[in-house]
Amino acid sequence: MTTLAPYNDQELRLLQLLSNRYPTITAAHIEMINLHAILALPKGTDHYISDIHGAYEQFDHILRHASGAIRRKIKQTFGIEMSQQQQTELAMLIYYPEKKLRQVLATLDDPRDWMAATIARLVRVARTASHKYTRSKVRKRLAPQLAYILEELLTESKSEYQQKEQYYASIVHQIVELGEGENFITTLAYVVQSLVVDRLYVLGDIFDRGPSADRVMDRLMEYHYVAIQWGNHDISWMGAASGCLALIANVVRMSLRYTNIETMTDAYSISLRRLMSFADSVYADDPCTLFLPKESTPVENYTRESIARMHKAITIIQFKLEAQIIERHPEYAMDDRLLLNGIDLDAGTCTLYGKTYPLRDTNWPTLNPDDCAALSPEEAEVIDDLRYSFQHGERLQEHIRFLYSYGNMFQVQDGNLRFHGCLPVDEQGDFIDVPIGDERLAGPALLARYEQVAREAFFSHDRQARTAGQDAMWYLWCGPLSPLFGRERMTTFERYFIADAATHDEPKGPYYELRNSESFCRKVLAAFGGDVERGHIINGHTPVRLKKGERPLLANGKMIVIDGGMSEPYQPVTGIAGYTLIGNSHELVLAAHEPFTSADDMIRKGEDLTPHTERIENFPQRILIAETDTGQLLRGQLEDLQKLIAAYH
């Protein structure tokens, strides 16, 4: 065997692997030509969404119109060639092809001419949307059974030879004549949706409050490119699926509070039978008035009263389980949240932070005054039964594994820093050391370690590591120095049981004031390896209350907060139905969305609910792939190929 002296063993292994893929100098040269060409393409369009909270219909609609990007592609393609109403009709066809086709075809005696013209228009929009991509990348977005014909149609038709134009016309004519018009129109509409956005970024809180988090997860799993930064509500469900008892109780409580029972029972096959039986027995004579669900929507097989009883039962179980975690972890410094120890049922009071308050509900039949954190045997059976359902529900486990596979605590990409919530900092803006087990970490290292322990909670085979990880996930949900929460305390107990509204306050950490400072945002970008000059910090988590004059742009645009209340319970507070962000090779655009009723209403009225957009930044020169992180990776591949060619020589 010939020895290649200039190379060490690691380099040789890499070169041997590369040589399997590129066995000749010519093969390596061809790939280098391809990579150089890709570097010269414009950057693809990035779509940023946050705080979906189970609002599937609103979320799905935003994906379908890509925060107004599809409407802009139509305008870019046709300009004044089509009227505004014609562009609206075409846009709605792209968003909801099946529904729009039914409406249009019902009005036509012979739809063939309309179909041919519509296919031609859709092809033109698809060509506009595909200009940023290689033909290979476009091919991967096409429906396999129609890929050949679609690829032919999407090939540029500008030709000096009339025969080529006749070739395209013949394809369209045969599509219509053979009865495939509807199929091709529908397929082309979804091709446009796929091509308009290159990458989708979700900044957390997919779960809770809204009714259809499972459908949101299904939609994300079928999307061509998605990256997720976990939110506190996602962590709660991830921890529950890993077996954390306190977070299981929290997830069940939230679902009962907002009457999202179907998400658990129907979507995820989580049985509430044992909980209901226990609650109906222990709280049979208790009206549980404080626990009546927020929504009056009826739920099959459950009365409001039975939901209230289950709600109270799981809430008390949760407080006990949380007390157990606090007692296991003195490093959390949360002894002030051992609120059950302050309850005096004989007096009907609870002492909080040195002050005594009357309890709004004094019926606590399972509370043991000698050990307030102890579950009764029946409560232990209930939570063990729920744990089995959470850990063995096939669809839930599939969704949670997807969150682990495509999610993390933070990400820096193309100079921008993305994370869901906040950072533990002091009033001067310095990162705070936070204890995790035997370590004390701050800043990027803290978030990276939290990500690691969250993975250990689900995947580790070591029981001690799993338990420690699950406890850390609970802290991420509600701990005072959690980067996913960011408040001094979560006053769930007080909101249920103490009437004094002053006790309900959840003071925010210093981050929320400091994020208005451009110098602070630059400091954070530098610490995480972002682009201090051109980069942005993109957050969700805190709804932007437009009604009160709040703005999503802070620190001279360095900070962008895109939680605008996509879920219906937030909309009265924010005044809109969510913010999203679109970044392409030309500009950065903020979109504010109106509440979405239904596709049928929109199509019937002929109104395109395009969001209100605001250009945040206009790039002086078009950004090419060469200037992005993807470009950096491609240049690394070019260097490896050059080494391979040198080795061949």
Side-chain angles (χ1 to χ4, degrees), residues 244-309:
C244 176
L245 298 181
L247 290 177
I248 289 170
N250 181 61
V251 163
V252 174
R253 179 186 64 82
M254 292 279 286
S255 297
L256 292 166
R257 183 174 176 82
Y258 290 94
T259 9
N260 291 334
I261 299 175
E262 291 96 334
T263 301
M264 287 194 303
T265 58
D266 297 346
Y268 291 137
S269 302
I270 294 170
S271 174
L272 298 179
R273 286 192 297 271
R274 190 180 290 267
L275 172 62
M276 185 165 67
S277 175
F278 167 76
D280 287 345
S281 172
V282 174
Y283 300 101
D285 299 323
D286 188 335
C288 299
T289 308
L290 301 179
F291 297 89
L292 288 168
K294 281 185 171 291
E295 304 296 330
S296 58
T297 309
V299 180
E300 188 177 358
N301 300 325
Y302 299 95
T303 65
R304 281 175 56 80
E305 291 72 24
S306 68
I307 291 173
R309 288 192 289 271

Side-chain angles (χ1 to χ4, degrees), residues 50-51 202-205 229-235 408-410 417-424 447 476 481-487 508-513 515 520 524 537-543 554 559-563:
S50 182
D51 295 84
V202 179
L203 274 75
D205 279 2
Q229 277 66 62
W230 303 324
N232 52 323
H233 289 269
D234 306 318
I235 281 288
N408 52 29
M409 286 290 292
F410 72 95
L417 169 61
R418 304 191 312 271
F419 56 91
H420 174 71
C422 63
L423 296 170
L447 270 64
L476 281 171
L481 295 178
S482 163
L484 297 184
F485 180 50
R487 296 172 183 267
K508 293 180 179 179
Y511 175 85
Y512 293 102
E513 182 62 34
R515 67 182 182 175
F520 172 73
V524 170
I537 300 172
I538 307 172
N539 284 173
H541 189 52
T542 50
L554 307 173
M559 170 74 67
I560 306 170
V561 182
I562 59 170
D563 179 4

Side-chain angles (χ1 to χ4, degrees), residues 3 16 110 140 193-194 245 383 509 514 532 568 588 593 646:
T3 302
Q16 287 166 349
D110 186 352
K140 292 174 183 176
Q193 288 187 32
S194 173
L245 298 181
I383 199 66
L514 289 164
V532 174
E568 189 174 348
L588 197 59
H593 300 268

Side-chain angles (χ1 to χ4, degrees), residues 90-383:
L90 183 59
M92 287 190 289
L93 178 66
I94 293 172
Y95 307 158
Y96 298 98
E98 298 91 348
K99 293 178 181 293
K100 185 62 179 175
L101 273 170
R102 282 199 298 270
Q103 182 204 48
V104 172
L105 295 179
T107 67
L108 300 173
D109 294 328
D110 186 352
R112 287 177 295 181
D113 288 345
W114 178 86
M115 283 187 176
T118 299
I119 290 172
R121 286 176 171 175
L122 289 170
V123 166
R124 288 180 62 184
V125 178
R127 286 177 187 152
T128 301
S130 66
H131 282 163
K132 295 180 180 181
Y133 305 130
T134 63
R135 186 174 296 186
S136 172
K137 190 168 186 175
V138 173
R139 189 180 300 120
K140 292 174 183 176
R141 304 278 175 94
L142 304 180
Q145 68 274 21
L146 303 176
Y148 172 73
I149 296 174
L150 289 171
E151 192 172 355
E152 288 295 302
L153 289 173
L154 292 177
T155 303
E156 287 289 354
S157 64
K158 294 178 181 178
S159 172
E160 57 185 284
Y161 300 105
Q162 187 176 2
Q163 187 64 40
K164 191 70 172 179
E165 296 298 332
Q166 292 175 352
Y167 169 74
Y168 289 112
S170 175
I171 292 176
V172 174
H173 175 75
Q174 287 301 311
I175 289 171
V176 174
E177 289 299 318
L178 293 172
E180 293 289 343
E182 289 185 57
N183 187 21
F184 266 81
I185 287 171
T186 301
T187 302
L188 276 166
Y190 286 116
V191 166
V192 171
Q193 288 187 32
S194 173
L195 291 173
V196 163
V197 170
D198 189 22
R199 300 179 294 196
L200 175 66
Y201 298 122
V202 179
L203 274 75
D205 279 2
I206 296 165
F207 287 89
D208 287 334
R209 291 194 169 88
S212 302
D214 60 302
R215 297 177 67 195
V216 174
M217 288 300 301
D218 286 339
R219 188 80 160 87
L220 291 174
M221 289 175 70
E222 68 184 17
Y223 205 80
H224 53 266
Y225 181 103
V226 63
I228 300 166
Q229 277 66 62
W230 303 324
N232 52 323
H233 289 269
D234 306 318
I235 281 288
S236 180
W237 276 81
M238 291 161 65
S242 75
C244 176
L245 298 181
L247 290 177
I248 289 170
N250 181 61
V251 163
V252 174
R253 179 186 64 82
M254 292 279 286
S255 297
L256 292 166
R257 183 174 176 82
Y258 290 94
T259 9
N260 291 334
I261 299 175
E262 291 96 334
T263 301
M264 287 194 303
T265 58
D266 297 346
Y268 291 137
S269 302
I270 294 170
S271 174
L272 298 179
R273 286 192 297 271
R274 190 180 290 267
L275 172 62
M276 185 165 67
S277 175
F278 167 76
D280 287 345
S281 172
V282 174
Y283 300 101
D285 299 323
D286 188 335
C288 299
T289 308
L290 301 179
F291 297 89
L292 288 168
K294 281 185 171 291
E295 304 296 330
S296 58
T297 309
V299 180
E300 188 177 358
N301 300 325
Y302 299 95
T303 65
R304 281 175 56 80
E305 291 72 24
S306 68
I307 291 173
R309 288 192 289 271
M310 287 191 291
H311 186 183
K312 179 173 182 179
I314 200 66
T315 298
I316 292 173
I317 289 172
Q318 178 180 342
F319 292 148
K320 291 181 178 183
L321 292 168
E322 290 180 337
Q324 293 175 19
I325 294 176
I326 293 170
E327 290 172 350
R328 279 200 298 270
H329 293 277
E331 74 274 15
Y332 289 172
M334 293 180 67
D335 285 356
D336 61 332
R337 300 304 297 165
L338 294 172
L339 304 179
L340 301 184
N341 295 343
I343 291 177
D344 184 339
L345 291 179
D346 292 334
T349 61
C350 181
T351 301
L352 305 176
Y353 304 105
K355 188 174 180 180
T356 300
Y357 300 89
L359 284 168
R360 298 173 68 198
D361 184 331
T362 57
N363 184 30
W364 291 64
T366 68
L367 184 68
N368 179 356
D370 297 325
D371 186 358
C372 294
L375 297 177
S376 71
E378 296 78 13
E379 287 175 324
E381 289 178 1
V382 166
I383 199 66

